[in-house]
Amino acid sequence: MRDENDSEIQTEEKDMKRYRFSKESVMRLNQKIEPAIRHGSDRNAAIPPMLQLLTALRFYATGCFQMVDGDLFGVHKSTVSRIVGRVSQAIAALKNQYIRFAPTGETSAGFYRRAGFPGVIGAIDCTHIPIQNPGGENGELFRNRKGYCSINVQVVCDEKVQIINIVARWPGSTHDSRIFDNSHLCALLESHAFQGHLVGDNGYPCRAYLLTPILNPSTPAEKRYNTCHIAARGLVERVFGVWKKRFPCLQNGLRTKLDTTLAVIVALAVLYNFGKRLGDEVLPEFEVDYRIEHTEDEGEEHNAATANGNAVRRTLIENHFTA
């Protein structure tokens, strides 16, 4: 095993490629989670906190225990598995510090500058994170409509392309709208805790606080509405693209135990915001081109669309998008 001081950090570019963070960011993160991952014993086999963190970061960048094992020379893959679980739980515990839904006037103003769509307090969508079949009587619940097992993860982002809400616990077969309807965020919006609305695709019902696109727009105003809606919603698509490219384990699939898998997903959402706050920008090869793609959900209006939501959308179109 390598000495704790030999952190393999050599140059900034190599840091980013190997761990997805600069040396300075890794050291700051280590300070935050060290109390939670340091062994209570000084026995010789205890792995230092920094090496545990680097092990987990390397796993996030590869998704492969064997590759991490090869990098560390002498740490068994079962040990790596335990380290990944421990570190992920510690990072996920920072969620309330880094992921908060607290929109302000600047949030709406930022969306308006970017997309020309008024009153937006967040862009919402779900993305599937591939996993191994967890087995058991409920194992097939995780198989999504595309045929592979996954966690369907709900994410809301703000105008700065930061994650401000995440729900990572539902099996892949669960519909996006069901995840939202059972979320704490939905309860807050139902109680009028915030002014403004989310923007989401037609996998969601149109509500006063969650506006969806117009299917088959027929007027110039409806077309302008849809164009601006796509631009606003595109921010969460960009989050997914950059998030998965920076941490390939989210794209390649997680073969960890289910509780570890859920912790990893939340931990990587925390790390996504952690990097943005520090200005630890991704390398050019981690950037992505993003665009809105039509999905099966967008073929017909969701059955749960409410008259109130449609009325709010119609009023917005008439007041803002009519020339």
Side-chain angles (χ1 to χ4, degrees):
M1 188 191 313
R2 299 186 182 195
D3 185 80
E4 180 178 10
N5 293 325
D6 179 13
S7 63
E8 297 189 22
I9 299 178
Q10 300 173 27
T11 68
E12 290 300 314
E13 185 175 356
K14 287 185 178 180
D15 298 345
M16 288 296 299
K17 289 184 176 180
R18 186 177 293 269
Y19 302 114
R20 294 330 198 234
F21 289 99
S22 66
K23 179 177 180 178
E24 180 182 356
S25 295
V26 171
M27 294 178 68
R28 289 193 182 189
L29 182 60
N30 184 60
Q31 291 175 351
K32 288 181 174 293
I33 68 170
E34 181 176 356
I37 64 175
R38 180 175 288 281
H39 287 287
S41 168
D42 291 329
R43 64 187 186 279
N44 292 334
I47 299 177
M50 176 60 83
L51 187 53
Q52 292 186 56
L53 175 57
L54 293 176
T55 300
L57 291 177
R58 186 64 176 142
F59 170 76
Y60 301 151
T62 64
C64 178
F65 289 141
Q66 288 82 357
M67 187 176 297
V68 175
D69 180 27
D71 279 352
L72 295 176
F73 301 113
V75 178
H76 192 271
K77 64 181 181 180
S78 63
T79 303
V80 174
S81 177
R82 290 192 294 272
I83 289 173
V84 168
R86 184 184 306 121
V87 173
S88 297
Q89 291 285 355
I91 296 174
L94 302 174
K95 175 184 174 183
N96 290 340
Q97 295 182 35
Y98 287 92
I99 302 176
R100 297 179 60 191
F101 187 84
T104 64
E106 179 54 33
T107 304
S108 297
F111 271 105
Y112 189 80
R113 287 193 298 269
R114 282 177 173 266
F117 201 106
V120 180
I121 57 176
I124 186 172
D125 204 356
C126 287
T127 188
H128 287 269
I129 306 299
I131 64 169
Q132 67 178 358
N133 192 321
E137 60 182 15
N138 295 323
E140 285 304 303
L141 290 176
F142 291 85
R143 194 171 303 281
N144 61 37
R145 68 187 180 198
K146 294 187 177 179
Y148 64 89
C149 292
S150 66
I151 301 295
N152 195 7
V153 180
Q154 175 182 286
V155 168
V156 180
C157 79
D158 64 10
E159 83 288 359
K160 297 177 181 177
V161 203
Q162 295 183 108
I163 296 173
I164 56 176
N165 182 265
I166 184 169
V167 177
R169 60 186 177 87
W170 289 86
S173 64
T174 311
H175 196 278
D176 295 1
S177 62
R178 183 183 176 195
I179 297 174
F180 177 70
D181 286 344
N182 287 275
S183 68
H184 179 61
L185 177 60
C186 180
L188 288 175
L189 294 172
E190 285 277 3
S191 67
H192 307 288
F194 303 99
Q195 292 186 340
H197 40 257
L198 303 175
V199 287
D201 63 27
N202 280 318
Y204 298 98
C206 183
R207 294 174 179 164
Y209 51 80
L210 202 173
L211 299 183
T212 59
I214 293 285
L215 289 175
N216 304 313
S218 59
T219 68
E222 290 178 348
K223 292 177 181 178
R224 282 192 289 271
Y225 168 89
N226 273 9
T227 296
C228 294
H229 190 285
I230 287 173
R233 202 168 84 241
L235 297 187
V236 72
E237 299 293 335
R238 184 178 181 210
V239 168
F240 291 150
V242 175
W243 191 35
K244 290 182 178 181
K245 200 163 187 181
R246 186 166 193 171
F247 305 111
C249 67
L250 295 174
Q251 185 72 49
N252 300 335
L254 294 166
R255 293 190 281 276
T256 49
K257 293 180 180 179
L258 186 58
D259 57 346
T260 298
T261 294
L262 301 182
V264 167
I265 294 171
V266 174
L268 293 182
V270 169
L271 290 180
Y272 173 89
N273 282 359
F274 174 78
K276 290 190 73 67
R277 287 193 186 183
L278 290 181
D280 196 344
E281 297 298 331
V282 295
L283 293 174
E285 57 261 41
F286 300 155
E287 279 288 2
V288 295
D289 292 326
Y290 67 98
R291 57 183 61 86
I292 296 293
E293 296 182 355
H294 292 288
T295 67
E296 293 175 20
D297 286 332
E298 296 184 25
E300 58 182 88
E301 191 77 25
H302 196 281
N303 290 333
T306 64
N308 187 34
N310 289 333
V312 169
R313 184 172 61 183
R314 174 54 52 191
T315 300
L316 180 65
I317 292 173
E318 291 175 354
N319 292 342
H320 187 79
F321 294 99
T322 301

